[in-house]
Coordinates of all heavy atoms in Angstrom, one line a residue:
H1332 N 21.0 -67.8 96.9 CA 21.4 -67.2 98.2 C 22.4 -68.2 98.9 O 22.2 -69.4 98.8 CB 20.1 -67.0 99.1 CG 19.2 -65.9 98.5 ND1 19.6 -64.6 98.5 CD2 18.0 -66.0 98.0 CE1 18.7 -63.9 97.9 NE2 17.7 -64.7 97.6
S1333 N 23.2 -67.6 99.7 CA 24.1 -68.5 100.6 C 23.3 -69.0 101.7 O 22.3 -68.4 102.0 CB 25.4 -67.6 101.0 OG 24.9 -66.6 101.9
E1334 N 23.8 -69.9 102.5 CA 23.2 -70.5 103.6 C 23.0 -69.4 104.7 O 22.0 -69.3 105.4 CB 24.0 -71.6 104.2 CG 23.4 -72.3 105.3 CD 24.2 -73.5 105.8 OE1 25.2 -73.2 106.5 OE2 24.0 -74.6 105.6
D1335 N 23.9 -68.5 104.9 CA 23.8 -67.5 105.8 C 22.8 -66.5 105.5 O 22.4 -65.7 106.4 CB 25.2 -66.7 105.9 CG 26.2 -67.6 106.6 OD1 25.9 -68.6 107.2 OD2 27.5 -67.4 106.5
E1336 N 22.3 -66.4 104.3 CA 21.3 -65.5 103.9 C 19.9 -66.1 104.1 O 18.9 -65.3 104.0 CB 21.4 -65.0 102.5 CG 22.6 -64.2 102.3 CD 22.9 -63.8 100.8 OE1 22.6 -64.6 99.9 OE2 23.4 -62.8 100.6
N1337 N 19.8 -67.3 104.4 CA 18.5 -68.0 104.6 C 17.8 -67.4 105.8 O 18.4 -67.5 106.9 CB 18.7 -69.5 104.6 CG 17.4 -70.3 104.7 OD1 16.5 -70.0 105.4 ND2 17.3 -71.2 103.8
P1338 N 16.6 -67.0 105.7 CA 16.0 -66.3 106.9 C 15.8 -67.4 108.0 O 15.9 -67.0 109.2 CB 14.5 -65.9 106.3 CG 14.9 -65.6 104.9 CD 15.8 -66.7 104.5
A1339 N 15.5 -68.6 107.7 CA 15.2 -69.6 108.7 C 16.5 -69.8 109.4 O 16.4 -70.0 110.7 CB 14.8 -70.9 108.1
I1340 N 17.7 -69.9 108.7 CA 18.9 -70.2 109.4 C 19.3 -69.0 110.3 O 19.8 -69.1 111.5 CB 20.0 -70.5 108.4 CG1 19.7 -71.8 107.7 CG2 21.4 -70.5 109.0 CD1 20.6 -72.1 106.6
V1341 N 19.1 -67.8 109.7 CA 19.5 -66.6 110.5 C 18.7 -66.5 111.8 O 19.2 -66.2 112.8 CB 19.2 -65.3 109.6 CG1 19.4 -64.0 110.5 CG2 20.2 -65.3 108.4
S1342 N 17.4 -66.8 111.7 CA 16.5 -66.7 112.8 C 16.9 -67.8 113.9 O 16.9 -67.5 115.1 CB 15.0 -66.9 112.4 OG 14.2 -66.9 113.5
N1343 N 17.3 -68.9 113.4 CA 17.7 -70.0 114.3 C 19.0 -69.6 115.0 O 19.1 -69.8 116.2 CB 17.9 -71.3 113.5 CG 18.2 -72.5 114.4 OD1 17.6 -72.6 115.4 ND2 19.0 -73.5 114.0
K1344 N 19.9 -69.1 114.3 CA 21.2 -68.7 115.0 C 20.9 -67.7 116.0 O 21.5 -67.7 117.1 CB 22.1 -68.2 113.9 CG 22.7 -69.2 112.9 CD 23.6 -68.6 111.9 CE 24.4 -69.7 111.1 NZ 25.2 -69.0 110.1
R1345 N 20.0 -66.7 115.7 CA 19.6 -65.6 116.7 C 19.0 -66.2 117.9 O 19.4 -65.9 119.0 CB 18.8 -64.6 116.1 CG 18.4 -63.4 116.9 CD 17.4 -62.5 116.3 NE 17.8 -61.9 115.0 CZ 17.3 -62.3 113.9 NH1 16.2 -63.0 113.8 NH2 17.7 -61.8 112.7
S1346 N 18.2 -67.2 117.8 CA 17.5 -67.8 118.9 C 18.5 -68.6 119.7 O 18.4 -68.5 121.0 CB 16.4 -68.6 118.4 OG 16.7 -69.8 117.7
L1347 N 19.3 -69.3 119.1 CA 20.4 -70.1 119.7 C 21.3 -69.2 120.6 O 21.7 -69.5 121.7 CB 21.2 -70.9 118.8 CG 20.5 -72.1 118.2 CD1 21.3 -72.8 117.1 CD2 20.0 -73.1 119.3
D1348 N 21.6 -68.1 120.0 CA 22.5 -67.1 120.7 C 21.8 -66.6 121.9 O 22.4 -66.5 123.0 CB 22.8 -65.9 119.9 CG 23.8 -66.2 118.6 OD1 24.4 -67.2 118.8 OD2 23.9 -65.4 117.7
E1349 N 20.5 -66.4 121.9 CA 19.8 -65.9 123.1 C 19.8 -67.0 124.2 O 19.9 -66.7 125.4 CB 18.4 -65.4 122.7 CG 18.5 -64.1 121.8 CD 17.1 -63.8 121.3 OE1 16.1 -64.4 121.7 OE2 17.0 -62.8 120.6
D1350 N 19.5 -68.3 123.8 CA 19.5 -69.3 124.7 C 20.8 -69.5 125.3 O 21.1 -69.8 126.5 CB 18.9 -70.6 124.1 CG 18.6 -71.7 125.2 OD1 18.2 -71.3 126.3 OD2 18.9 -72.8 124.9
N1351 N 21.9 -69.4 124.4 CA 23.2 -69.7 124.9 C 23.7 -68.6 126.0 O 24.5 -68.9 126.8 CB 24.2 -69.6 123.7 CG 24.2 -70.9 122.8 OD1 23.7 -72.0 123.3 ND2 24.6 -70.8 121.7
R1352 N 23.1 -67.4 125.8 CA 23.4 -66.4 126.7 C 23.0 -66.7 128.1 O 23.7 -66.5 129.1 CB 22.7 -65.0 126.3 CG 22.8 -63.9 127.2 CD 22.1 -62.7 126.8 NE 20.7 -63.0 126.4 CZ 19.7 -62.8 127.4 NH1 20.0 -62.6 128.6 NH2 18.5 -63.0 127.0
A1353 N 21.7 -67.4 128.3 CA 21.3 -67.8 129.5 C 22.1 -68.9 130.0 O 22.4 -69.0 131.2 CB 19.8 -68.1 129.4
Q1354 N 22.5 -69.9 129.1 CA 23.2 -71.0 129.6 C 24.7 -70.6 130.1 O 25.1 -71.2 131.0 CB 23.4 -72.0 128.3 CG 22.2 -72.7 127.9 CD 21.7 -73.8 128.7 OE1 22.4 -74.1 129.8 NE2 20.6 -74.5 128.3
T1355 N 25.3 -69.7 129.3 CA 26.5 -69.1 129.8 C 26.4 -68.4 131.2 O 27.3 -68.6 132.0 CB 27.0 -68.1 128.7 OG1 27.1 -68.8 127.4 CG2 28.4 -67.5 129.2
E1356 N 25.4 -67.7 131.3 CA 25.3 -67.0 132.6 C 25.1 -68.1 133.8 O 25.7 -67.9 134.7 CB 24.0 -66.1 132.5 CG 23.7 -65.4 133.9 CD 24.7 -64.3 134.3 OE1 25.7 -64.0 133.5 OE2 24.7 -63.8 135.3
L1357 N 24.3 -69.1 133.4 CA 24.1 -70.2 134.5 C 25.5 -70.9 134.9 O 25.8 -71.0 136.0 CB 23.1 -71.2 133.9 CG 22.7 -72.2 134.9 CD1 21.8 -71.7 136.1 CD2 21.8 -73.3 134.2
K1358 N 26.2 -71.1 133.8 CA 27.6 -71.8 134.0 C 28.5 -70.9 134.8 O 29.2 -71.2 135.6 CB 28.1 -72.2 132.7 CG 27.4 -73.4 132.0 CD 28.1 -73.7 130.7 CE 27.3 -74.9 130.0 NZ 27.8 -75.1 128.7
R1359 N 28.5 -69.6 134.4 CA 29.4 -68.5 135.1 C 28.9 -68.5 136.5 O 29.9 -68.3 137.4 CB 29.2 -67.1 134.3 CG 30.1 -66.1 134.8 CD 29.9 -64.9 134.0 NE 28.6 -64.2 134.5 CZ 28.6 -63.4 135.5 NH1 29.6 -63.2 136.3 NH2 27.5 -62.8 135.7
R1360 N 27.7 -68.4 136.8 CA 27.2 -68.3 138.1 C 27.7 -69.5 139.1 O 28.2 -69.3 140.1 CB 25.7 -68.1 138.2 CG 25.3 -66.8 137.8 CD 25.6 -65.7 138.8 NE 25.7 -64.4 138.2 CZ 25.9 -63.4 138.9 NH1 26.0 -63.4 140.2 NH2 26.1 -62.2 138.2
K1361 N 27.5 -70.6 138.4 CA 28.1 -71.9 139.1 C 29.5 -71.9 139.4 O 29.9 -72.2 140.5 CB 27.6 -73.1 138.3 CG 26.1 -73.4 138.4 CD 25.8 -74.7 137.6 CE 24.3 -75.0 137.7 NZ 24.0 -76.2 136.9
L1362 N 30.3 -71.5 138.4 CA 31.7 -71.6 138.5 C 32.1 -70.4 139.4 O 32.9 -70.6 140.3 CB 32.3 -71.3 137.1 CG 33.9 -71.2 137.0 CD1 34.4 -72.5 137.6 CD2 34.4 -70.9 135.6
G1363 N 31.5 -69.3 139.3 CA 31.8 -68.1 140.2 C 31.5 -68.4 141.6 O 32.3 -68.1 142.5
S1364 N 30.4 -69.2 141.8 CA 30.0 -69.5 143.2 C 31.0 -70.4 143.8 O 31.4 -70.1 145.0 CB 28.5 -70.0 143.3 OG 28.3 -70.3 144.6
E1365 N 31.4 -71.3 143.0 CA 32.4 -72.4 143.6 C 33.8 -71.7 143.9 O 34.4 -71.9 144.9 CB 32.6 -73.4 142.6 CG 31.4 -74.3 142.4 CD 31.5 -75.2 141.2 OE1 32.5 -75.2 140.5 OE2 30.5 -76.1 141.0
T1366 N 34.2 -70.8 142.9 CA 35.5 -70.1 143.1 C 35.5 -69.2 144.2 O 36.4 -69.1 145.1 CB 35.9 -69.3 141.8 OG1 35.8 -70.4 140.7 CG2 37.2 -68.7 141.9
R1367 N 34.4 -68.5 144.4 CA 34.3 -67.4 145.5 C 34.3 -68.1 146.8 O 34.8 -67.5 147.8 CB 33.1 -66.6 145.2 CG 33.4 -65.6 144.0 CD 32.1 -65.1 143.4 NE 32.3 -64.1 142.4 CZ 31.3 -63.6 141.5 NH1 30.1 -64.0 141.7 NH2 31.7 -62.8 140.6
H1368 N 33.6 -69.2 146.9 CA 33.6 -69.9 148.2 C 35.0 -70.3 148.5 O 35.3 -70.5 149.8 CB 32.6 -71.0 148.2 CG 31.1 -70.6 148.3 ND1 30.6 -69.9 149.4 CD2 30.1 -70.6 147.4 CE1 29.4 -69.6 149.2 NE2 29.0 -70.1 148.0
R1369 N 35.8 -70.7 147.6 CA 37.2 -71.1 147.9 C 38.1 -70.0 148.3 O 39.0 -70.1 149.1 CB 37.7 -71.9 146.8 CG 37.1 -73.3 146.5 CD 37.9 -74.1 145.6 NE 38.2 -73.4 144.3 CZ 37.3 -73.7 143.2 NH1 36.4 -74.5 143.4 NH2 37.6 -73.1 142.1
D1370 N 37.8 -68.9 147.7 CA 38.7 -67.7 148.0 C 37.9 -66.4 148.2 O 37.6 -65.6 147.2 CB 39.6 -67.5 146.7 CG 40.7 -66.4 147.0 OD1 40.7 -65.8 148.1 OD2 41.5 -66.1 146.1
P1371 N 37.4 -66.2 149.3 CA 36.5 -65.0 149.6 C 37.1 -63.7 149.3 O 36.4 -62.7 149.1 CB 36.2 -65.1 151.2 CG 36.5 -66.7 151.5 CD 37.6 -67.0 150.5
S1372 N 38.5 -63.6 149.2 CA 39.0 -62.3 148.9 C 38.8 -62.0 147.4 O 39.0 -60.7 147.1 CB 40.5 -62.3 149.3 OG 41.1 -63.3 148.4
Q1373 N 38.5 -62.9 146.6 CA 38.4 -62.6 145.1 C 36.9 -62.5 144.8 O 36.5 -63.2 143.9 CB 39.1 -63.7 144.3 CG 40.6 -63.8 144.7 CD 41.3 -62.6 144.4 OE1 41.1 -62.0 143.4 NE2 42.2 -62.2 145.3
T1374 N 36.1 -61.7 145.5 CA 34.7 -61.6 145.2 C 34.2 -60.3 145.5 O 34.6 -59.7 146.5 CB 34.0 -62.8 145.9 OG1 32.6 -62.6 145.6 CG2 34.2 -62.7 147.4
D1375 N 33.0 -59.9 144.8 CA 32.3 -58.8 145.3 C 31.0 -59.2 145.9 O 30.0 -58.4 146.0 CB 32.0 -57.8 144.1 CG 31.2 -58.4 143.0 OD1 30.9 -59.7 143.0 OD2 30.9 -57.7 142.0
L1376 N 30.8 -60.5 146.1 CA 29.6 -61.0 146.8 C 29.5 -60.5 148.2 O 30.5 -60.3 148.8 CB 29.4 -62.5 146.6 CG 29.4 -63.1 145.3 CD1 29.4 -64.5 145.4 CD2 28.1 -62.6 144.7
T1377 N 28.1 -60.4 148.7 CA 28.0 -60.0 150.0 C 27.7 -61.2 150.8 O 27.5 -62.3 150.3 CB 26.7 -59.1 150.1 OG1 25.5 -59.9 149.8 CG2 26.8 -57.9 149.2

């Protein structure tokens, strides 16, 4: 079997993807907050 077919590796990649999703959202929120405070016209925040 190739490395990509190894169940342990596949499961690990899947779990990392899910954690990265949260990390990405966190970074996006931080960046978005900073950007939106500099330019209030470019936001849908209330």
Side-chain angles (χ1 to χ4, degrees):
H1332 293 291
S1333 70
E1334 185 181 73
D1335 289 341
E1336 293 173 328
N1337 187 307
I1340 294 175
V1341 171
S1342 181
N1343 186 37
K1344 286 181 178 179
R1345 185 184 300 117
S1346 65
L1347 289 175
D1348 285 345
E1349 292 176 359
D1350 189 38
N1351 286 339
R1352 175 176 58 84
Q1354 295 280 4
T1355 299
E1356 178 67 7
L1357 188 63
K1358 292 177 181 178
R1359 187 178 72 81
R1360 288 283 151 181
K1361 287 181 178 178
L1362 178 60
S1364 180
E1365 293 168 358
T1366 302
R1367 288 162 175 169
H1368 282 299
R1369 288 196 300 269
D1370 186 0
S1372 67
Q1373 301 300 316
T1374 178
D1375 61 356
L1376 292 176
T1377 66

